[in-house]
Amino acid sequence: MSRAQHLLDAVSLSIDEIGFAAHGVHVRVGDDAAQRRFTAEAREEIHSIAKAVAVLAVGIARDEGIFDPDAIVAHDYTTRDLLTMTTGVDFPWSPTMFDDHDDAAREFLSRPTSGRSFQYANSSTYTAMRQLAAATGDVEEWLRPRLFDPLGWHDVEWRRCPRGFVLAGEGLALTTDEIARLGLLLRDRGVYNGRRIVAGDWIDGMHSGWVSTGGESAGYGGYAMGGWRGPGDAWRLHGAGGQLVIFAGDAVITITGDDHFRADEVTALAVAAAA
């Protein structure tokens, strides 16, 4: 039995034991891969895992020399601060954000900052992608040959705000296997199928230099560019509803589901199984 199959069996047992409403699990350990379906394979909203795609977009543009993530955007904060949620701007998530504001990015930029304090908000990532769009044009179309096509994300469309810009912090629908390809790219520091997509130091910034969130729950005490610290020595991408990409050593565990409130429990069990 391969290491990936062994880990998949352990994660699947945990899912069954706690009753987590999984849709699919994909496990990669080293070069071995294994997967299990609980429902028919289908693309589904990945929610905040999309923030990692936004982070990659900025990194690729930085590598090409067309965008500086450390240039001041407004007040004294940068695009990097937007990606780490540390602008100090009070603009929490709302399901009516784009209805409440004619231009959500302009509204974000107009608000005062309290300093480098953490506040998790889709508006922060959205504003970062608006900054990037000023340099690249349409972010999705610019990113397609640079990221979507190399990962085999064919015919994937990023949902848009009423102004026509990508939603950034959400709005992408992918299969479990397609999300797992993103996980492999991140585990291998920006290389996929032998091709360098983004520089390794940019990937490192997704799980280092952790910003304290003030949260006391395991796995929510530290945030980087799109990544959450923990549990333990692991780190993860985490989307609402139980969309997870968990990095534990050389293992990448991708889980999709519809079980928001048991996502933390299944994450902890998956990390323990990978130890």
Side-chain angles (χ1 to χ4, degrees):
M1 180 183 296
S2 72
R3 295 169 63 203
Q5 186 63 54
H6 180 78
L7 180 54
L8 175 65
D9 290 347
V11 173
S12 296
L13 179 62
S14 296
I15 285 171
D16 292 340
E17 286 181 343
I18 68 174
F20 179 81
H23 293 167
V25 180
H26 183 288
V27 170
R28 183 178 291 272
V29 183
D31 293 330
D32 299 326
Q35 57 186 316
R36 177 185 175 187
R37 293 302 310 173
F38 296 80
T39 63
E41 181 83 292
R43 281 178 172 160
E44 51 195 310
E45 168 69 55
I46 66 174
H47 299 289
S48 286
I49 291 178
K51 292 180 174 66
V53 180
V55 169
L56 290 176
V58 172
I60 294 168
R62 181 205 68 159
D63 293 347
E64 292 187 5
I66 62 173
F67 188 77
D68 181 1
D70 296 310
I72 297 296
V73 171
H75 303 285
D76 62 346
Y77 59 78
T78 67
T79 299
R80 192 186 298 265
D81 295 325
L82 288 165
L83 297 176
T84 57
M85 309 287 177
T86 56
T87 64
V89 174
D90 184 17
F91 196 154
W93 179 84
S94 165
T96 59
M97 179 173 73
F98 296 111
D99 296 324
D100 296 340
H101 307 285
D102 176 60
D103 187 332
R106 180 177 296 176
E107 174 65 23
F108 187 101
L109 295 170
S110 72
R111 294 189 179 190
T113 173
S114 61
R116 296 286 73 77
S117 58
F118 176 84
Q119 180 176 303
Y120 188 77
N122 279 15
S123 55
S124 191
T125 313
Y126 172 77
T127 302
M129 288 299 93
R130 288 286 299 274
Q131 297 300 304
L132 183 62
T136 65
D138 187 89
V139 170
E140 178 187 331
E141 294 309 312
W142 178 83
L143 199 56
R144 189 170 301 283
R146 293 166 171 82
L147 182 67
F148 288 20
D149 290 345
L151 292 181
W153 292 358
H154 303 305
D155 303 318
V156 170
E157 295 183 356
W158 210 333
R159 286 195 295 116
R160 297 170 182 266
C161 74
R163 285 181 164 268
F165 297 98
V166 297
L167 294 184
E170 59 181 321
L172 280 171
L174 298 170
T175 66
T176 310
D177 183 67
E178 288 170 336
I179 302 169
R181 297 174 209 166
L182 172 65
L184 181 59
L185 171 69
L186 300 186
R187 189 202 67 175
D188 291 348
R189 298 186 68 241
V191 174
Y192 184 79
N193 275 348
R195 173 178 172 179
R196 170 67 64 186
I197 305 297
V198 64
D201 73 296
W202 189 256
I203 302 298
D204 295 343
M206 299 178 71
H207 58 102
S208 64
W210 298 105
V211 173
S212 176
T213 67
E216 298 180 358
S217 300
Y220 293 95
Y223 189 79
M225 292 193 301
W228 289 96
R229 186 176 189 175
D233 293 331
W235 70 283
R236 72 193 188 283
L237 309 178
H238 194 149
Q243 323 316 315
L244 299 160
V245 186
I246 304 163
F247 302 88
D250 67 344
V252 184
I253 305 165
T254 304
I255 301 173
T256 55
D258 185 13
D259 200 337
H260 186 78
F261 294 103
R262 279 182 283 199
D264 293 342
E265 185 177 3
V266 79
T267 299
L269 292 170
V271 170

